[in-house]
Amino acid sequence: MATIDTAVEQLMAGEVIAYPTEAVYGLGCDPDNEEAVLKLLAIKQRPVAKGLILIAANYSQLLPYIHDNAIPIERRFQIFSSWPGHVSWVLPASAKAPRWITGNFNSIAVRVSAHPIVQQLCQAYGKPIVSTSANLAGEAAINDYQQLLASIGLQVAAVVDGPLGGATQPSQIRDAMTGEIIRS
């Protein structure tokens, strides 16, 4: 079991960590470190083409990765009023957003999490982290700490223990341009 400080040290060292989110345990790493992202994708057995979600403590942490001016004015209230919370939004990606995060898309999925551990991680790290469920691609998400340790625990550098946020399913994903629900 790792502290927030230990988890941040591992993020800085280019490692993959596991941590609780609103509904399931997640895997995370530094979104700007291609080697760390590829390590995370290998653990999860997920192709880079699918893209990944970034989670943050606040919207300003996401600004380097998104094309803020391209977000329609009429969608901003809906997006910002859902945060911090359990809704991820697919926003236009900035030119600086790494392809190993956006995958085959010109957009990027992001969320400002309300989970206290995620908030602490992102505040202590000073930027967003990658967030994907801590299960192999195609398998059920993990919402039990012992199951996390048994299936993923040895493949990550740090596991932050703590309660899940009480949601019953992974975050809803919505398209910021249309408001359409991509994953409910």
Side-chain angles (χ1 to χ4, degrees), residues 9-183:
E9 288 171 11
Q10 295 302 320
L11 290 169
M12 286 193 237
E15 297 296 337
V16 177
I17 65 167
Y19 52 90
T21 69
E22 290 89 345
V24 299
Y25 284 94
L27 293 179
C29 66
D30 183 337
D32 297 311
N33 183 327
E34 183 178 13
E35 186 177 315
V37 172
L38 294 177
K39 197 180 305 183
L40 179 147
L41 291 170
I43 292 169
K44 188 158 172 78
Q45 298 176 12
R46 176 185 171 105
V48 71
K50 287 182 129 185
L52 292 161
I53 295 175
L54 297 185
I55 54 173
N58 56 60
Y59 182 67
S60 64
Q61 287 187 333
L62 297 168
L63 288 173
Y65 305 91
I66 61 170
H67 183 20
D68 183 65
N69 292 336
I71 301 168
I73 295 295
E74 64 273 13
R75 293 273 172 235
R76 287 180 177 271
F77 177 78
Q78 187 179 21
I79 294 166
F80 297 134
S81 65
S82 72
W83 289 339
H86 193 52
V87 178
S88 297
W89 288 89
V90 177
L91 302 176
S94 74
K96 295 179 183 178
R99 285 288 156 211
W100 55 84
I101 297 296
T102 61
N104 289 345
F105 305 98
N106 292 321
S107 56
I108 188 165
V110 297
R111 178 169 83 251
V112 176
S113 176
H115 194 283
I117 291 174
V118 173
Q119 282 275 326
Q120 291 170 36
L121 271 171
C122 293
Q123 286 171 354
Y125 197 43
K127 66 190 238 180
I129 61 173
V130 169
S131 183
T132 185
S133 56
N135 54 280
L136 298 180
E139 292 188 7
I142 297 173
N143 59 11
D144 177 80
Y145 185 70
Q146 294 306 319
Q147 181 187 3
L148 171 72
L149 294 179
S151 62
I152 301 289
L154 297 176
Q155 299 179 65
V156 298
V159 177
V160 180
D161 189 15
L164 298 176
T168 57
Q169 0 183 26
S171 68
Q172 181 182 82
I173 301 176
R174 299 185 75 135
D175 185 319
M177 305 309 276
T178 65
E180 174 188 344
I181 296 173
I182 298 169
R183 177 180 80 188

